[in-house]
Amino acid sequence: MADLQSINARTGQPLGAAWAASTAEEIDAAVAAAAQAAALFAATSAAERAALLRDLAEALLAGRDTLVPLADRESGLGLARLGGELDRTAFQLRGFADVLERGIVHAVIDDAAVAGMPPAGRPRMLRVRVPLGPVAMFSASNFPFAFSVLGGDTAAALAAGCPVVVKSHPAHPELSRQTVALARQVVAARGLPVGVFQSVEGAAVETGVRLVQAPAIAAVAFTGSFHGGMALARVAAERARPIPFYGELGSVNPLVVLPPVVPSQGAALAETLAASICQGAGQFCTSPGLVIVRQDAAGDAFVQALADRLVAQTPHAMLTPGIRHAFEQGVSAWSCHAGVQTLVPGGAGMDALPRPFLGQVQAGDFIADARLQTEVFGAAALVVRVDSLAQTLAVLRAVGGALTVTLWGADSDTPEHRDLVRAATQVAGRVLFAGVPTGVAVTAAQQHGGPFPASTAPATTSVGYAALDRFLRPVALQEAPAWVVNCRGLV
C-alpha cells in the first residue's frame, strides 16, 4: 500500500501520485549493495573521493531551477531561504573535498622505534584511520538540502570513504527522490559501484528500525526529534554488534542577557532576538528557546521590548501537520503551567498560521520542573528571570545539555564572567558572545553537538569538517612492513 505522498506545504493538497515505501527486502538489498561496495570505496584515494564530492556539488547546483521550487512546494520555507540552503550544501560538499586534498584524513602518526627494554624502548608504531563501513543517514525535515540527502552527514561519510544508505524524510519525499536520482547519476558517471550511494524511503517507524538493525550498517547519523532519536539509539545499542549512533536530538539553546548590555543595546537586541526566535517559523535546532534575564527594572524593559517585537512577527506555515501539532501541544502545556506568565499567547489552532509564544517564569520554578526545560520546536521561548549570577548558573545546570549557549554582555574579564563562561562550556557545544545561534558556519572549528539531551555523542560534531571523524576508526600498525605502509587502501 502506498504510504508516501508529496504534499503542498501551503495548501495541504497532494502533488502527483502517491507511491509505496521501501519494502523490507528493498532495505536489505540497499544495505547489501553498500556492504559489497565498502571495501572498494574504502580503497579509493583522497583525490578520487574529492572528485566525487565536487561532482555532487556541481550536479546539485545545476539542478537548482528544478530542485529549489520543488523544495519550496513541499516545505513552504521560501525560495530565497532554500536557494541559500542549496548553496550551503554545495559549499559543504566542496569543503570536504578541500579537506581530503589537504591530506588531513590520511594523516599518519609515526612513532619511530626506540632501542632498549620497555617502557623506554618500543617498536615502531603507526597510527592510521580506516573507514567504519556503510553508514545509515537519516534526513531531517527542517533543512531539505543541508541536512538531507546530500547534506553534511552524507558528505562527511563519503569523504571518510564510507558508503551511505540515506533514509529520506517523508516531509519532502519528491525532492528526496530527485536528489537521490541526481546522486546516483554522479556515482555511476565516476565509475563507482552503485552501493556507494543507496537510499530507502518510508514514513513508518519500521523502515528506520530495519535499516539500523541491518548487520552490515556500521554507524548511524540522525538529526530529528528527541523521542525518535532515542528510540533508534536504543535499537543501535541493542544489536548483537552495537554500533555508534550519532544523534542530534534537540536543544533549548539558552541565551543570557547580562545587565551591562541592556541600557544601551536592549531595544536592538530585543529586535534581533525576536527575529531569531521566529526564523524559519522557529524550526531551527539552534533556535533560542530560553532567555535568561535579570530581575530588575532594566530587565523588565527588555522583556517588554522582546514581547512587543514578537507580536509583530509573522511566522510562515510549519513543515508538517505533525510538527505543527507538537508545537501547539507544547505551547498549550507552557500556557497552562501555574508558574508561567504568558506574555505573547502564541498558537492559533491548526487552521491558521502559527503565532509566536513567549512566556515568563521565575528561576526557582524553572529549575524545579523538568517539563519547562524541554524544547518546544517552533517559534516559542521562555524568559527565565534570575536575581543573581548564582541563579543564572543554576538555570544553565538545570538545562544539562544544549547545542548552544549565548552570552550577551560578558565582554570584560571578571570573576563572574569567568564562572559564566565555564558553566556555558560545560552545557553547550558552541558558546556565542555576540549575535544569535540560528546560524551555523561550516568550518573546521565548528562544533555542532553538545551534552545530552542535545546529542548522543557530544565529543563529535554534525556540522563542519571534523564531522568526518565520526566515520573513521583509529588503527595502530606495529612494525608494519613497507608494503603495508605504502599500499593505498590499507593506510
Side-chain angles (χ1 to χ4, degrees):
M1 181 177 178
D3 68 352
L4 286 166
Q5 172 68 64
S6 180
I7 300 292
N8 187 310
R10 294 182 177 86
T11 67
Q13 297 302 305
L15 297 167
W19 64 92
S22 300
T23 65
E25 293 75 19
E26 289 170 336
I27 295 169
D28 293 346
V31 175
Q36 187 174 8
L40 188 150
F41 191 51
T44 56
S45 67
E48 288 171 314
R49 298 202 294 275
L52 170 63
L53 293 169
R54 292 190 191 283
D55 284 356
L56 289 170
E58 291 305 317
L60 195 61
L61 292 169
R64 175 191 299 275
D65 291 346
T66 298
L67 297 177
V68 170
L70 174 56
D72 182 50
R73 289 194 295 273
E74 290 192 322
S75 71
L77 292 175
L79 295 174
R81 145 77 194 271
L82 290 163
E85 189 184 325
L86 184 143
D87 290 335
R88 170 201 166 122
T89 307
F91 177 86
Q92 287 180 147
L93 290 161
R94 290 169 170 165
F96 279 105
D98 291 342
V99 170
L100 285 166
E101 290 171 342
R102 290 198 297 270
I104 297 171
V105 175
H106 296 295
V108 174
I109 299 174
D110 188 350
D111 278 340
V114 176
M117 296 294 293
R122 65 177 186 235
R124 184 190 182 193
M125 302 283 285
L126 285 85
R127 185 180 178 89
V128 301
R129 299 195 296 173
V130 300
L132 287 181
V135 173
M137 197 290 288
F138 284 73
S139 299
S141 62
N142 55 336
F143 284 88
F145 292 113
F147 280 82
S148 190
V149 172
L150 287 177
D153 288 329
T154 296
L158 293 176
C162 297
V164 175
V165 183
V166 169
K167 161 63 171 66
S168 300
H169 199 284
H172 43 264
E174 182 59 31
L175 174 68
S176 297
R177 294 186 103 188
Q178 293 198 23
T179 311
V180 165
L182 174 153
R184 285 176 171 164
Q185 291 171 3
V186 171
V187 168
R190 294 216 59 83
L192 293 167
V194 295
V196 167
F197 184 91
Q198 290 288 301
S199 72
V200 301
E201 50 188 349
V205 172
E206 290 77 13
T207 302
V209 169
R210 188 163 189 103
L211 178 58
V212 174
Q213 287 178 333
I217 292 296
V220 180
F222 174 91
T223 299
S225 72
F226 176 83
H227 295 293
M230 287 306 298
L232 289 174
R234 285 190 290 271
V235 172
E238 292 169 0
R239 290 173 28 137
R241 180 175 66 88
I243 56 175
F245 182 88
Y246 300 112
E248 182 197 315
L249 308 181
S251 176
V252 296
N253 303 302
L255 188 149
V256 182
V257 184
L258 293 169
V261 300
V262 175
S264 60
Q265 303 177 49
L269 291 174
E271 185 169 354
T272 297
L273 181 54
S276 180
I277 291 169
C278 293
Q279 186 175 356
Q283 298 168 120
F284 278 48
C285 54
T286 52
S287 183
L290 191 67
V291 186
I292 303 172
V293 181
R294 192 63 60 90
Q295 185 74 66
D296 56 23
D300 291 344
F302 175 82
V303 173
Q304 185 59 56
L306 175 59
D308 291 342
R309 283 153 180 79
L310 273 177
V311 168
Q313 294 286 323
T314 54
H316 56 67
M318 301 187 78
L319 290 161
T320 68
I323 291 173
R324 176 62 187 277
H325 181 67
F327 170 71
E328 296 290 340
Q329 282 188 317
V331 166
S332 177
W334 277 355
S335 300
C336 296
H337 193 285
V340 174
Q341 175 191 3
T342 296
L343 303 176
V344 179
M350 295 294 289
D351 295 331
L353 290 174
R355 300 295 303 161
F357 174 88
L358 186 68
Q360 180 170 255
V361 62
Q362 296 300 311
D365 292 331
F366 177 84
I367 293 166
D369 194 339
R371 294 174 298 175
L372 298 176
Q373 300 159 15
T374 57
E375 178 188 32
V376 172
F377 189 65
L382 279 180
V383 174
V384 180
R385 303 304 295 269
V386 296
D387 59 19
S388 63
L389 173 67
Q391 270 200 338
T392 301
L393 299 179
V395 169
L396 291 177
R397 286 193 292 269
V399 169
L403 293 171
T404 71
V405 169
T406 301
L407 307 175
W408 281 349
D411 300 323
S412 57
D413 185 355
T414 68
E416 293 79 9
H417 290 168
R418 290 189 177 200
D419 288 344
L420 189 56
V421 171
R422 288 192 193 97
T425 60
Q426 292 300 304
V427 170
R430 178 163 57 111
V431 178
L432 294 82
F433 296 87
V436 289
T438 39
V440 186
V442 182
T443 178
Q446 186 59 267
Q447 178 60 28
H448 191 62
F452 187 84
S455 66
T456 60
T460 73
T461 181
S462 64
V463 177
Y465 306 125
L468 63 79
D469 294 340
R470 296 175 298 170
F471 308 120
L472 293 166
R473 180 174 60 83
V475 175
L477 303 177
Q478 182 169 324
E479 297 289 9
W483 75 265
V484 171
V485 176
N486 297 326
C487 183
R488 192 185 79 182
L490 289 180
V491 298

